[in-house]
Amino acid sequence: MANSKYEYVKSFEVQDEIMLPNLIVVRVDGRDFNRFSEVHEFEKPNDERALNLMNACAFAVLEEFPDIVFAYGFSDEYSFIFKKDTKFYQRRASKINSLVVSFFTSVYITKWKEFFLQKDLMFHPSFKSRVICCATMEVLQTYILWRQRACHLENLFNTCFWKLIGCGKSQKEAKEMLEGTQKQEKNEILFQQFGVNYKDLPSIFRQGSCAFKTEVEDIVKYKENGAPVKRLRKKIALTHSENVAGRSFWNVHPCLCKELGHFEGDISKINPEYIKSFQFENNLMPSTWIVIRVDGCHFHRFSEVHEFEKPNDEHALNLMNSCAVAVVEEFNDVVFSYGVSDEYSFVLKKNSCFYERHASEIVSAIVSFFSSVYVMKWKLYFAQKEMKYPPYFDGRAVCYPSIDILQDYLAWRQVDCHINNQYNTCFWMLVKSGKSKSEAQNCLKEWRKLTRPHAWHRNKVSKWNINWNAKMLEGNIIGYTKPYCIQGTQTQEKNGLLSCQFGIDYNTLHNHVPPGVLCLLGQGEQDLTEQ
């Protein structure tokens, strides 16, 4: 929003562009999937349905995001590799990271019943993710090799472990028997005690799965003489290979070589310095307020496809609010949230050590969980509407060093809420009265130029944000309270238009529509209220 006294808070946003020639990898990992697999009774050591569901999600990600050309996954993780010259969202790490994990999460839920017909989801599955930068093709090759070796080692251990459990050993005894054993010893345990040749196990378990884009010829039409007219089109292929990082696999696929590059040679040893770079995480500044802002991606289209009521669909707003409450309940360090339309901001306590203040983990976990709740609760709010395609959200983390700047951030979001909602109310009333969208935009263009946000006094913002009644601080989630609504942010012209033409008093609209909604956590947050 231009010309606002609060706009300066945007300067605290960190630029996180991934510079060329770095190759971009987004690695998605299941969050608390040990518990998830137990609750949903996955087969041990491998549930083929669960693996196929993960592969289906990877397929969907490659279809949704054209710049992703290769993916490798096993168990509850998947790594997605973007083409070398991608400009996807200006190569902004937080945007790329959150969009991929959000979409992956939404697809996981929407496709669940295709693979688990007899099982309902018992709680919200969610994922964490991070961006890995690979400076050269050699580094990328090492990363892929590292992940496939992890697949092999984990599967070999788990196969032995669950075979021992199946013959009567306790989990403690099985772990003690396998502790310190090498690959050959584990192979011998499987063969001698259980008659299992590890190499005979399905390749999806031992090798993982890779999905990538390849080019195939399709007949698009026939000429008058009957000759076919062919065109190249991209198709997603799924395969299992013993050495995904080998030249014999990679270099025979022209699409991979074109979009990413060739592997010059085979790698036998993994450089430990490369692994350090793969595991490196950026930490958010200590002793600052962390704000995670979640925004709907392409929600204008999503609202049109799903026929949301304009200018505000109360069902959609209540669904967003329900997701926010779930986030505050799930993550103990989230103490406050404020939302409007298709966005929500979550404030973590000042001294939070959540995920050791690793930015990508915090953002991805919250965005993924928010997405999961949104999809799973859809039918509670839209009982008569089928979700036509999976929604997804982006997220970012911003640190604010003082409570005053945090208040100004929240004031900025609420001022934006007022102005956008008033404009949208006028716009859609004009459209409903018979004007085209372009005519309605032209009608409001001059009025919008006159719109100027009112300079709120900080004492008023403090009363809204900080001075809560003691009764509000009982229990974990208080739900929704009426925010301190400061008038004067709407132009007289738009108010006059609504009043004269449509008989609407803008200031009497539902309280949760103009000012947005806030949600508080009232357990142990002395540092917030004291300041």
Side-chain angles (χ1 to χ4, degrees):
M1 181 186 64
N3 303 320
S4 166
K5 65 169 283 188
Y6 304 114
E7 184 119 351
Y8 79 93
V9 299
K10 293 172 68 177
S11 65
F12 289 89
E13 296 182 11
V14 177
Q15 298 300 316
D16 60 352
E17 180 184 351
I18 302 167
M19 297 298 178
L20 290 166
N22 286 296
L23 299 163
I24 299 173
V25 180
V26 176
R27 180 175 156 197
V28 175
D29 282 290
R31 178 175 165 267
D32 197 15
F33 254 58
N34 285 334
R35 174 172 164 254
F36 184 84
S37 63
E38 289 177 4
V39 170
H40 294 91
E41 300 175 334
F42 283 7
E43 292 180 19
K44 302 294 185 180
N46 295 287
D47 191 309
E48 195 162 357
R49 296 166 301 173
L51 294 175
N52 287 331
L53 172 55
M54 291 289 290
N55 291 340
C57 295
F59 254 72
V61 170
L62 266 70
E63 289 176 337
E64 181 70 15
F65 303 112
D67 282 15
I68 296 176
V69 294
F70 182 84
Y72 173 77
F74 65 96
S75 185
D76 62 346
E77 79 165 62
Y78 242 102
S79 296
F80 298 95
I81 303 173
F82 287 75
K83 63 183 183 181
K84 59 187 175 185
D85 58 352
T86 181
K87 301 292 187 201
F88 186 59
Y89 282 100
Q90 295 78 51
R91 299 175 66 94
R92 288 155 55 194
S94 58
K95 196 91 168 178
I96 294 170
N97 188 43
S98 55
L99 286 173
V100 171
V101 73
S102 175
F103 185 73
F104 191 97
T105 305
S106 294
V107 174
Y108 192 93
I109 297 163
T110 56
K111 288 185 175 290
W112 173 265
K113 279 294 185 181
E114 293 179 23
F115 299 90
F116 293 94
L117 291 173
Q118 307 303 320
K119 289 183 181 179
D120 292 327
L121 280 167
M122 304 300 291
F123 65 92
H124 306 103
S126 61
F127 298 81
K128 295 182 299 178
S129 62
R130 54 186 301 186
V131 171
I132 294 104
C133 298
C134 297
T136 65
M137 283 301 292
E138 180 193 355
V139 178
L140 177 64
Q141 186 179 14
T142 303
Y143 175 82
I144 296 170
L145 177 62
W146 177 53
R147 295 324 303 149
Q148 189 167 40
R149 284 190 180 176
C151 167
H152 168 63
L153 292 173
E154 287 180 21
N155 186 66
L156 179 58
F157 177 90
N158 289 335
T159 303
C160 290
F161 178 80
W162 287 104
K163 283 292 183 182
L164 291 170
I165 297 292
C167 74
K169 301 289 184 185
S170 68
Q171 292 195 13
K172 182 180 179 182
E173 290 171 333
K175 285 180 182 177
E176 288 175 350
M177 287 184 66
L178 295 172
E179 190 174 354
T181 57
Q182 301 301 310
K183 289 190 292 183
Q184 186 59 38
E185 293 171 292
K186 293 186 181 75
N187 280 322
E188 288 176 2
I189 290 172
L190 286 174
F191 188 74
Q192 292 175 6
Q193 294 191 34
F194 306 105
V196 174
N197 187 335
Y198 183 74
K199 291 185 178 179
D200 292 338
L201 295 178
S203 56
I204 189 175
F205 301 158
R206 294 181 292 109
Q207 300 168 356
S209 304
C210 49
F212 57 95
K213 289 175 180 172
T214 184
E215 290 183 333
V216 296
E217 274 193 344
D218 260 2
I219 298 174
V220 293
K221 63 179 181 179
Y222 291 91
K223 296 180 180 179
E224 292 182 0
N225 61 5
V229 177
K230 297 180 179 180
R231 296 284 187 275
L232 284 176
R233 70 174 183 87
K234 288 189 176 179
K235 180 182 178 182
I236 300 171
L238 178 72
T239 188
H240 314 287
S241 173
E242 190 173 353
N243 187 8
V244 181
R247 286 183 304 169
S248 59
F249 171 81
W250 193 270
N251 291 350
V252 299
H253 296 293
C255 196
L256 295 180
C257 296
K258 175 184 175 183
E259 301 289 7
L260 288 165
H262 293 79
F263 288 161
E264 297 298 331
D266 289 324
I267 298 174
S268 58
K269 291 184 178 180
I270 295 176
N271 188 332
E273 293 300 317
Y274 289 172
I275 295 180
K276 285 183 182 178
S277 72
F278 302 151
Q279 296 174 330
F280 175 77
E281 282 271 17
N282 285 318
N283 290 357
L284 296 170
M285 192 178 298
S287 299
T288 56
W289 298 96
I290 300 173
V291 175
I292 307 298
R293 181 172 158 192
V294 177
D295 281 287
C297 185
H298 303 309
F299 254 58
H300 287 295
R301 174 174 171 261
F302 186 84
S303 65
E304 288 180 0
V305 170
H306 293 90
E307 299 177 337
F308 284 5
E309 186 179 338
K310 302 295 184 180
N312 294 291
D313 190 305
E314 197 161 350
H315 299 291
L317 293 174
N318 285 334
L319 174 54
M320 290 289 292
N321 297 338
S322 180
C323 295
V325 172
V327 168
V328 178
E329 289 177 326
E330 177 73 10
F331 301 102
N332 292 332
D333 282 19
V334 177
V335 295
F336 181 90
S337 66
Y338 173 77
V340 56
S341 185
D342 62 346
E343 78 166 62
Y344 244 101
S345 296
F346 298 96
V347 181
L348 277 67
K349 60 186 180 183
K350 188 173 184 179
N351 295 316
S352 171
C353 292
F354 184 46
Y355 286 126
E356 300 178 5
R357 298 179 78 91
H358 293 161
S360 61
E361 288 189 294
I362 296 172
V363 172
S364 60
I366 289 177
V367 170
S368 175
F369 187 79
F370 192 97
S371 306
S372 181
V373 177
Y374 193 95
V375 177
M376 286 186 68
K377 289 196 172 186
W378 173 267
K379 276 296 182 182
L380 293 178
Y381 296 91
F382 294 98
Q384 306 304 318
K385 288 183 181 180
E386 291 296 327
M387 184 176 281
K388 297 183 179 179
Y389 64 88
Y392 52 104
F393 300 81
D394 71 75
R396 74 204 76 173
V398 186
C399 294
Y400 296 109
S402 72
I403 194 71
D404 289 340
I405 299 174
L406 175 62
Q407 289 173 2
D408 282 353
Y409 168 81
L410 294 167
W412 172 53
R413 299 318 307 141
Q414 194 177 37
V415 170
D416 224 23
C417 169
H418 275 281
I419 290 181
N420 288 338
N421 185 67
Q422 191 195 27
Y423 177 88
N424 288 335
T425 302
C426 291
F427 175 83
W428 286 106
M429 291 307 298
L430 289 168
V431 170
K432 290 177 181 179
S433 70
K435 294 189 180 296
S436 67
K437 290 183 178 180
S438 60
E439 288 173 335
Q441 287 173 341
N442 290 333
C443 284
L444 291 169
K445 190 175 291 184
E446 293 305 315
W447 284 327
R448 201 175 193 191
K449 286 180 182 178
L450 294 171
T451 303
R452 291 292 182 270
H454 184 69
W456 295 359
H457 195 276
R458 179 168 289 140
N459 289 338
K460 292 182 179 180
V461 180
S462 297
K463 289 179 183 178
W464 164 49
N465 287 333
I466 304 303
N467 296 337
W468 302 312
N469 188 292
K471 291 181 179 179
M472 294 164 58
L473 300 180
E474 297 175 358
N476 288 331
I477 295 299
I478 309 307
Y480 309 125
T481 63
K482 181 179 178 181
Y484 192 98
C485 184
I486 301 151
Q487 303 302 325
T489 58
Q490 302 89 29
T491 61
Q492 292 301 314
E493 290 83 0
K494 291 190 183 73
N495 280 336
L497 170 69
L498 290 171
S499 177
C500 295
Q501 291 197 32
F502 307 109
I504 294 174
D505 182 354
Y506 180 78
N507 298 319
T508 63
L509 293 176
H510 293 302
N511 286 331
H512 74 283
V513 174
V517 177
L518 60 86
C519 178
L520 315 174
L521 175 66
Q523 193 173 51
E525 258 318 286
Q526 295 302 316
D527 56 340
L528 181 65
T529 54
E530 284 172 5
Q531 291 192 56

